[in-house]
Amino acid sequence: MEGIESWFGKGLMKVEKESEEYQSIENGFLKGMGFMGHATTIMALHKNDISFSLARKARWDSFKIFSKAMEIKCGGDANVRYAWYGASLDDLLEIVSAGFNGCKNHDESHGVGIPLFSVHFSIDSAMCTVGDEHGLRHVLLCRVILGKVESVACGSKQSQPSSQQYDSGVDDILAPTKHIIWTAFMNSYIHPSYILSFKYKCIKDSVICGTLKPQSPYVLFPNLVAGVSNNLKPEQMTTLLRSYRVYQERKISREVWIKKVRLIVGDTLLHSVITKSNYNVHIL
């Protein structure tokens, strides 16, 4: 924790584990991790100290002004929500300190803007993280002004609202996973609130399979994700998660999915992870 602990007194306040604030965010994050929830341990939570500098205070005041303006525009509801953003610790600290100006966007699958993930899908933000030298990963919990949202198709290069009636984008109007805040509004509509630090752990088969275990050798998919996370880029981790969802929705067969996993991960890395797990190539 040396990396983030060195920011004590520099604009981040530690949130104590016993507090209701910590437990509420921890529970929400783990629930949103889905199948990776049991393989995830929260290590720390730090809050953005807006009183640290005049610049941070000014950005917070600006966010409140834009929230009020959006409330008036939308007839009383600015549609302010919490959302997750994943990146390296250095990137997140820079965002908390100076805004999103220099952030490196890993995902432009739905338009050109800042992608943040619904509070119910923290796992998507986790796939965008980069492990630090201590094996920790970090995500940013932000308050986001969404206003009136519009659907942005996968593969779209849209970079601004399609008309004045819209304010932000989503990947799916009815069940949004991803929010897109256009670059022109990234420091007006997004306020970084917390940095949550976590790490992956290897889980036992009983956590997933209970007393019923497969007859053939296997490796649990959460352990595979944890095992390859330090070797794959965020884009590859996102693709790996996407392939799992397609398989879970029964849109592809198990054989096709495993082929996709091999293409994404690579046989060398896959064999290394499985060897460490003392299992053969069967994935659950």
Side-chain angles (χ1 to χ4, degrees):
M1 295 295 295
E2 294 178 3
I4 198 168
E5 294 292 1
S6 67
W7 278 68
F8 279 163
K10 297 182 181 180
L12 286 175
M13 301 182 295
K14 185 175 182 180
V15 180
E16 297 300 329
K17 290 188 175 183
E18 297 76 18
S19 69
E20 182 178 343
E21 181 180 22
Y22 184 103
Q23 292 174 14
S24 176
I25 294 174
E26 177 185 47
N27 292 338
F29 180 78
L30 292 177
K31 184 176 181 180
M33 286 296 285
F35 69 89
M36 288 298 293
H38 291 296
T40 304
T41 301
I42 311 300
M43 301 302 293
L45 180 67
H46 291 81
K47 188 174 185 177
N48 182 8
D49 182 4
I50 58 175
S51 66
F52 175 71
S53 67
L54 290 177
R56 292 198 194 192
K57 179 66 165 55
R59 284 195 291 273
W60 172 240
D61 289 341
S62 176
F63 180 83
K64 290 189 292 184
I65 290 172
F66 276 98
S67 296
K68 184 63 178 178
M70 186 66 75
E71 183 179 319
I72 295 171
K73 175 180 181 290
C74 294
D77 183 8
N79 196 12
V80 178
R81 297 285 186 270
Y82 277 106
W84 297 101
Y85 181 86
S88 69
L89 177 58
D90 287 343
D91 285 348
L92 298 188
L93 292 174
E94 179 65 23
I95 290 168
V96 171
S97 176
F100 279 83
N101 300 305
C103 73
K104 303 177 183 65
N105 186 1
H106 298 299
D107 181 3
E108 293 185 354
S109 60
H110 292 80
V112 182
I114 304 299
L116 301 102
F117 295 96
S118 161
V119 287
H120 305 299
F121 293 95
S122 52
I123 187 171
D124 290 82
S125 66
M127 296 300 107
C128 300
T129 60
V130 178
D132 64 20
E133 64 271 25
H134 306 292
L136 297 181
R137 296 175 176 275
H138 312 273
V139 290
L140 195 61
L141 182 59
C142 305
R143 292 191 72 179
V144 186
I145 303 170
L146 298 177
K148 185 173 178 59
V149 302
E150 64 178 311
S151 178
V152 179
C154 182
S156 170
K157 296 303 179 184
Q158 183 177 340
S159 60
Q160 60 186 8
S162 62
S163 72
Q164 292 186 353
Q165 74 176 109
Y166 296 115
D167 306 294
S168 65
V170 290
D171 59 341
D172 187 324
I173 287 287
L174 297 179
T177 298
K178 182 190 301 180
H179 302 290
I180 303 96
I181 301 300
W182 308 119
T183 305
F185 308 110
M186 59 186 181
N187 289 319
S188 304
Y189 291 0
I190 309 173
H191 182 264
S193 300
Y194 300 88
I195 292 181
L196 182 147
S197 305
F198 68 98
K199 67 178 181 179
Y200 293 133
K201 62 184 178 182
C202 184
I203 60 176
K204 297 181 179 180
D205 51 16
S206 59
V207 174
I208 301 295
C209 304
T211 58
L212 298 176
K213 300 179 182 179
Q215 296 303 308
S216 58
Y218 61 92
V219 59
L220 296 175
F221 189 61
N223 289 344
L224 176 63
V225 171
V228 304
S229 59
N230 288 326
N231 300 90
L232 298 185
K233 297 177 180 180
E235 305 95 291
Q236 293 171 299
M237 294 299 294
T238 298
T239 303
L240 185 62
L241 175 61
R242 191 177 298 126
S243 76
Y244 180 73
R245 283 177 172 158
V246 172
Y247 167 63
Q248 288 293 96
E249 293 168 0
R250 300 183 184 278
K251 294 180 179 179
I252 58 175
S253 67
R254 180 181 179 79
E255 291 72 21
V256 171
W257 175 56
I258 290 178
K259 287 180 180 179
K260 287 182 177 290
V261 171
R262 292 179 65 182
L263 285 174
I264 298 166
V265 176
D267 284 345
T268 301
L269 177 57
L270 188 60
H271 181 268
S272 174
V273 172
I274 292 171
T275 299
K276 290 178 181 179
S277 300
N278 296 315
Y279 294 129
N280 293 324
V281 187
H282 293 272
I283 305 171
L284 286 182

